[in-house]
């Protein structure tokens, strides 16, 4: 069996690479790429989707996601507008600090998930006992 130098999927990606290169070379292309980037889900969107799946009906799921989107809109808009007022030095410092905040957030979620009955950290249980089937 002869293996060619070209990748099998290269012909599929070539048009997308050409469009991306064209978009990055033109100023209006940055807007288009930014708009497309907005459709890529992040971890919190996946969490919201899990919450939406756990609702009682399709209508409730749609409403859950709409409220999630409307709830995140003000903060996302504030961050976008506010980033223009922050200088490069502060951005660099924030980029160094953010991983530590994410680590603390992950530890917090793990501790909450373990339900260790730590005041102000563990969620209150409805019945006090957990039944696993």
């Amino acid at each position: 069996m002869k293996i060619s130098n070209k990748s099998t999927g290269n012909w599929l990606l070539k048009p997308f690479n050409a469009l991306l290169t064209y978009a990055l070379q033109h100023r209006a292309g940055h807007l288009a790429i930014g708009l497309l980037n907005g459709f890529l889900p992040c971890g919190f969107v996946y969490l919201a989707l899990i919450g939406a799946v756990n609702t009682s009906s399709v209508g409730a799921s749609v409403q859950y996601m709409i409220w999630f989107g409307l709830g995140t809109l003000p903060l996302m808009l504030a961050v976008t507008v506010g980033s223009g007022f922050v200088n490069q030095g502060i951005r660099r410092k924030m980029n160094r600090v953010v991983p530590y905040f994410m680590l603390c957030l992950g530890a917090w979620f793990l501790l909450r998930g373990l339900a260790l009955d730590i005041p102000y950290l563990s969620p209150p249980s409805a019945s006090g006992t957990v039944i696993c089937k």
Side-chain angles (χ1 to χ4, degrees), residues 35-86:
L35 289 172
L36 288 174
N37 190 30
F39 289 107
L40 292 174
C42 68
F44 290 116
V45 173
Y46 289 125
L47 287 173
L49 286 172
I50 290 170
V53 166
N54 286 321
T55 59
S56 59
S57 66
V58 174
S61 296
V62 170
Q63 187 178 20
Y64 188 98
M65 290 305 293
I66 287 172
W67 285 115
F68 172 77
L70 289 175
T72 58
L73 188 65
L75 184 60
M76 297 293 281
L77 188 61
V79 167
T80 302
V81 171
S83 67
F85 298 109
V86 178

Side-chain angles (χ1 to χ4, degrees), residues 8-32:
T8 308
N10 193 25
W11 62 274
L12 279 173
L13 296 177
K14 193 171 183 177
F16 295 109
N17 286 337
L19 284 172
L20 186 61
T21 303
Y22 178 80
L24 289 174
Q25 291 173 349
H26 295 83
R27 193 169 186 93
H30 290 266
L31 175 66

Side-chain angles (χ1 to χ4, degrees), residues 123-129:
S125 59
S127 65
T129 59

